[in-house]
Amino acid sequence: MKIGIAGAGLCGRLVAFLMAQQGHSVSVFDPASGPTDPAAAAFTAAGMLSPLAELETADENVYRFGERSASLWTHIIPKLSLPVELLFRGSLMLAHRGDEGAAQRIISLITRKAPDNKLPVLLSREQLANEEPGIQGPAHAWLLPDEGQIHTRQAMQALAASCPDTHWHWQEKVVTLGPGKIHTEHEVHNFDWVFDTRGVGSREVKYPNTQTLSCQNVRGVRGEVLGLHVPGLTLTRPVRLLHPRYRVYMVPRKPDELVIGASEIESEDRSPISVRTTIELLTAAHSVLPEIAEARIIRTETNLRPALIDNLPRVESEQGLTRINGLFRHGWLIAPATVEQALQSVLGADYRVDS
């Protein structure tokens, strides 16, 4: 089949890779300048694969998709033509003395939703010191077993480089699309099936809201990250600092890089990261990892993640057209399972990425 994909973000690249693996001819259209252009929201992400931690705000479907996606990443990554760091060492939730109330509320909420064999494990100070000697300051710690992380930049580049018989139309903005058709600014392209994975770029699309029986547009939720170079970084797994007002995460990457970010900001502002945010993120990170005091800021990024009113993913299909949107802050966590569901509309209900 001839497959057309609007959008070269994470979902678009996964669709391209998986459909090319099936032997189909694939064309991808995106206004970015090329495969390493960080315009896609997936670049501005730490890549935490943490279905248990996300139970704080997400539902059981996101958890189930996250568990399935963790398995699918272990199937996909070895097939890519470039190396991608993928680790499953668990993650940590930390809280300072005085923040016990907010932290315990979150841990209790996760515990109520989680399967019995996936509960957070309370660590003593001695156990935390043994697990992560570089962490100093927090009075409370919980280990979330089996959770992982993926190097987002490596994965985005590897996906784009690993698609046989795929035509990448960079600097080609999709104006509109429909079943079997993609309209760019200069041409109409015909396909057997079209996938719309544009995220925030598909604002003209009206998605049904089952709760209010009305329609909704996708909205952008601002994400902000800092990249630090930390020579000799000792942290080995993702960390979340629980605070009554905000969540700060820290994710180590090889070699000697630390990604620091905030979970979500309800704003569609794409401007650079502010001084206030920079100070808050770095102060929070330093309160957990004193070793970053002499680190160097090598990167700051902001971007918009696509979300619908319920902050849940949406896959909608009709003959010749499938739309994937609304992955919110869960993109890397649930994208493989979401794309697997979307491909079943084309390849059949029994299609499995890992079969």
Side-chain angles (χ1 to χ4, degrees):
M1 284 192 296
K2 289 182 61 179
I3 303 298
I5 302 172
L10 175 56
C11 286
R13 296 184 195 209
L14 278 170
V15 172
F17 171 72
L18 295 171
M19 291 302 282
Q21 288 275 308
Q22 294 289 316
H24 300 291
S25 175
V26 179
S27 296
V28 186
F29 301 83
D30 195 280
S33 61
T36 61
D37 184 338
F43 280 99
T44 309
M48 291 181 293
L49 308 179
S50 50
L52 190 61
E54 289 302 317
L55 277 175
E56 177 198 349
T57 56
D59 66 1
E60 293 180 1
N61 288 327
V62 170
Y63 177 81
R64 178 171 52 84
F65 270 41
E67 288 276 280
R68 174 62 177 163
S69 292
S71 174
L72 293 181
W73 279 125
T74 65
H75 177 81
I76 292 170
I77 295 303
K79 293 186 174 183
L80 301 181
S81 60
L82 298 175
V84 177
E85 183 180 275
L86 177 67
L87 302 170
F88 289 94
R89 295 174 175 167
S91 68
L92 291 169
M93 284 187 162
L94 307 175
H96 289 297
R97 191 177 307 280
D99 295 338
E100 298 95 336
Q104 193 57 58
R105 180 191 66 80
I106 294 169
I107 296 299
S108 298
L109 182 60
I110 292 173
T111 300
R112 288 199 302 271
K113 292 182 177 181
D116 290 341
N117 63 337
K118 298 284 187 177
L119 300 180
V121 178
L122 178 64
L123 300 181
S124 67
R125 287 194 174 188
E126 293 74 18
Q127 289 172 319
L128 177 60
N130 288 333
E131 292 287 341
E132 297 288 353
I135 293 179
Q136 300 176 30
H140 310 279
W142 295 265
L143 174 66
L144 280 58
D146 304 325
E147 303 211 323
Q149 64 191 85
I150 186 171
H151 195 304
T152 58
R153 287 172 168 263
Q154 290 178 354
M156 288 291 279
Q157 294 177 31
L159 284 167
S162 307
C163 299
D165 199 20
T166 298
H167 307 282
W168 299 91
H169 299 263
W170 300 109
Q171 301 182 52
E172 287 270 6
K173 181 180 180 180
V174 173
V175 178
T176 186
L177 54 75
K181 293 184 183 296
I182 289 180
H183 298 249
T184 64
E185 293 176 319
H186 307 293
E187 192 175 351
V188 177
H189 302 265
N190 296 305
F191 300 97
D192 297 308
W193 206 282
V194 167
F195 289 87
D196 184 1
T197 65
R198 291 173 292 163
V200 178
S202 63
R203 291 185 185 274
E204 82 280 2
V205 179
K206 299 289 186 180
Y207 291 89
N209 183 347
T210 56
Q211 296 177 341
T212 64
L213 301 181
S214 60
C215 290
Q216 57 182 311
N217 298 98
V218 66
R219 78 183 194 282
V221 178
R222 179 179 170 98
E224 303 175 332
V225 299
L226 294 165
L228 306 185
H229 178 240
V230 189
L233 178 66
T234 61
L235 188 68
T236 64
R237 50 171 64 87
V239 169
R240 284 177 174 81
L241 178 62
L242 307 181
H243 186 275
R245 295 194 307 274
Y246 52 78
R247 308 281 180 271
V248 175
Y249 56 77
M250 291 148 271
V251 180
R253 288 180 181 170
K254 298 177 182 178
D256 298 335
E257 182 179 348
L258 183 69
V259 178
I260 306 172
S263 293
E264 64 188 76
I265 302 170
E266 281 293 340
S267 169
E268 294 199 345
D269 177 15
R270 290 180 180 266
S271 65
I273 193 168
S274 69
V275 170
R276 176 179 177 178
T277 298
T278 302
I279 292 173
E280 287 182 349
L281 290 179
L282 291 178
T283 299
H286 183 259
S287 74
V288 171
L289 292 170
E291 65 183 297
I292 71 169
E294 295 300 320
R296 296 296 184 261
I297 300 173
I298 57 175
R299 187 175 65 254
T300 65
E301 296 177 2
T302 60
N303 218 318
L304 298 182
R305 302 159 180 168
L308 298 170
I309 189 69
D310 54 8
N311 292 335
L312 296 177
R314 187 74 61 85
V315 174
E316 294 186 351
S317 287
E318 57 182 290
Q319 185 60 37
L321 174 63
T322 298
R323 301 186 190 274
I324 307 171
N325 215 327
L327 272 66
F328 188 42
R329 73 185 194 190
H330 311 306
W332 288 95
L333 173 65
I334 65 173
T338 305
V339 167
E340 180 181 62
Q341 177 187 345
L343 295 190
Q344 290 170 352
S345 63
V346 183
L347 302 177
D350 59 345
Y351 169 75
R352 297 292 185 272
V353 169
D354 53 356
S355 61

